[in-house]
């Protein structure tokens, strides 16, 4: 039987010979002598370098299978190697996705899954950071907040480079519970740590929450951008218009982002002909997302805060740069990069990879910086809540109404 190392070497030899024969036959000296092939020094060096790269991985796996005290599953090790390859890039948004992870991500974009209802990312200190709990989910009801850090799950410590495993543990059958150990920064700068028990549910995300306020002022909150958001927004907008809406508050507070096409489609409703956003890859390839000449002409205010990220910042940046809306609140999260999700392999796996950065119409990339509001307004830490249900105590929404009333009276 041919050994695995010899098999790998044979494959690499075939690949290189084929490549050189096809592309550079005139520059490389290839002579067949019996069952041997003579290559140029350059071709041999490149072939050997490639073999050495994969031979190290193979040697480590063989060592583990022979000497590791416990089971060393080859398939598991190979999958771990793929995960580690992308994790080594140091970008928390770039990940190898197992079959289960890929299916879960696709499910999330469709608007429902089973778990606790929270958006997370990696913090600068390699901890799992809560971007925002999803409204009306177990995470929000349990009191989780933007800026909280998940230290342990069911007593096991997890760091940001284990974020996929952490998500898998937090998700689960409705009716079961999970215990999160939360680190929270207090107003005096100190940190407190506490355990929070959360019951899992089927999370059906309602991304659009409309209401009619006073004096013909409409209100639409967008909690995230998924595949149904743009259509649902248009329906809510038409309904409010039929009720006499003359101006609109779009609430993007604690909106962690989502699908770029959805935010572009909604932004297009209020912008004239122009650029909503554009992206740029490492090679300089640019893609423009444009709006047409049709535009709703009612006054618009956008509410943003530190939990407004990614796709919500695309909308905020577009409407701010084009002076189509007034931004009220606090500085946004600052995520100005775009991930592409694609299938990988033949067993349902996938890859999520940061492939480009996006820019506002004025050519500004806000990654790590955020978007400053036109009017700063801070929601008190002890506020009972935010949104139209808490209008009497939501000072940011009150400010938005005040600004719109001023525009209508001009």
């Amino acid at each position: 039987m041919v050994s695995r190392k010899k098999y790998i070497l044979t494959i690499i030899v075939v690949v290189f010979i084929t490549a050189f024969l096809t592309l550079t036959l005139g520059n490389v000296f290839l002579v067949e002598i019996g069952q041997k092939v003579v290559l140029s020094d350059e071709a041999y060096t490149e072939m050997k370098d490639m073999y050495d790269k994969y031979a190290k991985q193979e040697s480590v796996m063989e060592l583990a299978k022979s000497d590791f005290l416990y089971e060393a599953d080859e398939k598991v090790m190979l999958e771990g190697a793929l995960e580690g390859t992308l994790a080594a890039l140091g970008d928390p948004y770039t990940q190898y996705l197992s079959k289960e992870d890929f299916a879960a991500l696709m499910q999330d974009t469709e608007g429902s899954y089973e778990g606790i209802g929270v958006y997370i990312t990696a913090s600068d200190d390699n901890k799992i950071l809560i971007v925002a709990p999803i409204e009306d989910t177990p995470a929000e009801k349990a009191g989780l907040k933007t800026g909280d850090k998940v230290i342990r799950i069911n007593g096991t410590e997890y760091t940001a480079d284990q974020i996929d495993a952490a998500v898998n543990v937090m998700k689960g059958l409705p009716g079961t519970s999970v215990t999160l150990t939360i680190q929270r920064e207090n107003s005096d700068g100190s940190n407190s740590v506490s355990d929070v028990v959360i019951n899992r549910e089927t999370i059906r995300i309602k991304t659009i929450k409309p209401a009619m306020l006073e004096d013909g002022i409409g209100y639409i909150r967008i909690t995230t951008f998924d595949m149904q958001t743009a259509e649902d927004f248009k329906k809510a907008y038409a309904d409010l218009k039929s009720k006499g809406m003359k101006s609109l508050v779009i609430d993007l507070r604690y909106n962690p982002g989502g699908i770029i096409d959805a935010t572009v489609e909604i932004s297009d409703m209020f912008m004239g002909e122009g650029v909503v956003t554009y992206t740029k890859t490492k090679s300089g390839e640019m893609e423009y997302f444009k709006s047409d000449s049709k535009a709703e002409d009612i006054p618009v205010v956008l509410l943003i805060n530190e939990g407004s990220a990614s796709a919500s910042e695309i909308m905020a940046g577009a409407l701010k740069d084009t002076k189509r809306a007034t931004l009220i609140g606090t500085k946004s999260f600052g995520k100005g990069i775009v991930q592409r999700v694609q299938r990988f392999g033949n067993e349902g796996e996938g890859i999520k990879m940061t492939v480009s950065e996006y820019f506002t119409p004025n050519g500004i990339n806000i990654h790590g910086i955020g978007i400053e509001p036109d009017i700063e307004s801070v929601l008190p830490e002890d506020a009972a809540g935010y949104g139209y249900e808490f209008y009497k105590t939501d000072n940011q929404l009150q400010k938005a109404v005040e600004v719109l009333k001023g525009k209508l009276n001009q």
Side-chain angles (χ1 to χ4, degrees):
M1 180 179 291
V2 178
S3 71
R4 186 170 300 178
K5 289 186 178 180
K6 288 183 179 179
Y7 176 76
I8 293 174
L9 179 58
T10 301
I11 294 298
I12 295 174
V13 169
V14 171
V15 170
F16 267 98
I17 290 177
T18 302
F20 278 108
L21 281 171
T22 304
L23 302 175
T24 58
L25 184 58
N27 298 321
V28 180
F29 181 60
L30 296 172
V31 179
E32 184 176 349
I33 304 175
Q35 295 185 359
K36 297 181 180 180
V37 176
V38 179
L39 304 177
S40 70
D41 288 342
E42 181 181 357
Y44 174 76
T45 299
E46 291 185 10
M47 178 193 70
K48 185 176 183 303
D49 287 345
M50 180 174 285
Y51 168 74
D52 287 343
K53 290 179 184 178
Y54 294 101
K56 288 180 181 179
Q57 173 66 30
E58 178 65 22
S59 296
V60 169
M61 291 173 58
E62 291 298 327
L63 184 65
K65 286 192 287 186
S66 64
D67 294 354
F68 183 55
L69 178 60
Y70 306 106
E71 180 183 1
D73 187 290
E74 183 176 280
K75 184 177 180 181
V76 172
M77 287 190 288
L78 286 171
E79 187 168 285
L82 293 171
E83 293 175 354
T85 298
L86 296 182
L89 297 175
D91 175 24
Y93 305 107
T94 295
Q95 302 167 335
Y96 169 80
L97 303 170
S98 66
K99 177 181 179 180
E100 294 74 21
D101 293 336
F102 183 76
L105 181 60
M106 292 298 98
Q107 185 183 49
D108 289 350
T109 63
E110 294 174 359
S112 67
Y113 68 96
E114 295 174 345
I116 64 173
V118 66
Y119 294 104
I120 58 177
T121 188
S123 67
D124 293 336
D125 56 356
N126 196 38
K127 293 180 180 177
I128 297 173
L129 176 70
I130 293 178
V131 176
I134 301 171
E135 187 174 359
D136 294 331
T137 64
E140 185 188 54
K141 296 171 185 176
L144 299 188
K145 297 181 178 181
T146 295
D148 285 349
K149 294 177 181 178
V150 180
I151 307 301
R152 290 184 293 275
I153 306 174
N154 290 337
T156 300
E157 184 174 345
Y158 287 88
T159 55
D161 50 12
Q162 300 168 302
I163 199 165
D164 287 340
V167 169
N168 287 335
V169 176
M170 285 189 282
K171 289 184 176 181
L173 294 176
T176 61
S177 64
V178 61
T179 301
L180 305 187
T181 302
I182 298 297
Q183 176 183 307
R184 177 172 297 171
E185 183 175 352
N186 302 314
S187 57
D188 61 2
S190 63
N191 289 322
S192 59
V193 177
S194 61
D195 287 340
V196 181
V197 179
I198 307 176
N199 292 320
R200 301 181 179 96
E201 295 178 1
T202 297
I203 309 299
R204 292 184 175 87
I205 303 172
K206 298 178 181 178
T207 64
I208 299 300
K209 295 179 179 284
M212 197 71 182
L213 305 178
E214 57 194 73
D215 296 339
I217 298 175
Y219 170 94
I220 301 178
R221 182 167 174 225
I222 309 176
T223 62
T224 188
F225 294 92
D226 65 24
M227 294 173 65
Q228 300 299 319
T229 300
E231 181 181 348
D232 290 346
F233 182 93
K234 291 177 180 179
K235 290 179 180 178
Y237 181 84
D239 182 61
L240 291 174
K241 285 271 285 188
S242 70
K243 295 177 180 178
M245 178 177 64
K246 299 177 182 178
S247 61
L248 175 65
V249 178
I250 301 177
D251 193 345
L252 297 177
R253 289 175 293 180
Y254 299 108
N255 180 322
I259 299 175
I260 190 171
D261 289 342
T263 191
V264 169
E265 189 172 345
I266 296 172
S267 299
D268 176 36
M269 292 176 60
F270 303 98
M271 296 173 56
E273 187 173 2
V275 174
V276 177
T277 186
Y278 64 92
T279 62
K280 185 177 181 180
T281 67
K282 181 169 60 177
S283 64
E285 182 180 352
M286 301 173 72
E287 181 179 5
Y288 289 85
F289 297 83
K290 298 181 179 181
S291 59
D292 58 30
S293 58
K294 300 177 182 179
E296 297 290 325
D297 61 358
I298 67 173
V300 177
V301 164
L302 254 62
L303 291 176
I304 62 171
N305 66 0
E306 65 278 5
S308 307
S310 193
S312 60
E313 291 176 292
I314 288 177
M315 177 181 288
L319 298 191
K320 180 180 182 180
D321 279 8
T322 58
K323 302 187 185 303
R324 183 59 187 87
T326 301
L327 272 58
I328 296 177
T330 55
K331 186 170 69 172
S332 63
F333 186 82
K335 181 177 181 288
I337 51 179
V338 179
Q339 285 71 47
R340 180 176 63 208
V341 179
Q342 63 189 59
R343 287 190 177 277
F344 177 80
N346 300 317
E347 298 181 5
E349 311 98 320
I351 287 178
K352 182 176 71 171
M353 182 175 292
T354 299
V355 295
S356 60
E357 53 186 350
Y358 74 77
F359 297 81
T360 68
N362 288 347
I364 301 170
N365 177 256
I366 52 83
H367 191 63
I369 300 171
I371 297 175
E372 296 283 353
D374 298 305
I375 301 173
E376 184 173 9
S377 177
V378 179
L379 189 70
E381 287 189 7
D382 59 353
Y386 64 98
Y388 68 89
E389 307 98 319
F390 301 92
Y391 178 66
K392 292 183 179 180
T393 57
D394 186 344
N395 60 297
Q396 293 175 321
L397 180 53
Q398 291 172 4
K399 186 64 178 179
V401 170
E402 177 187 331
V403 169
L404 288 174
K405 284 182 177 179
K407 290 180 180 291
L408 291 172
N409 293 328
Q410 289 178 355

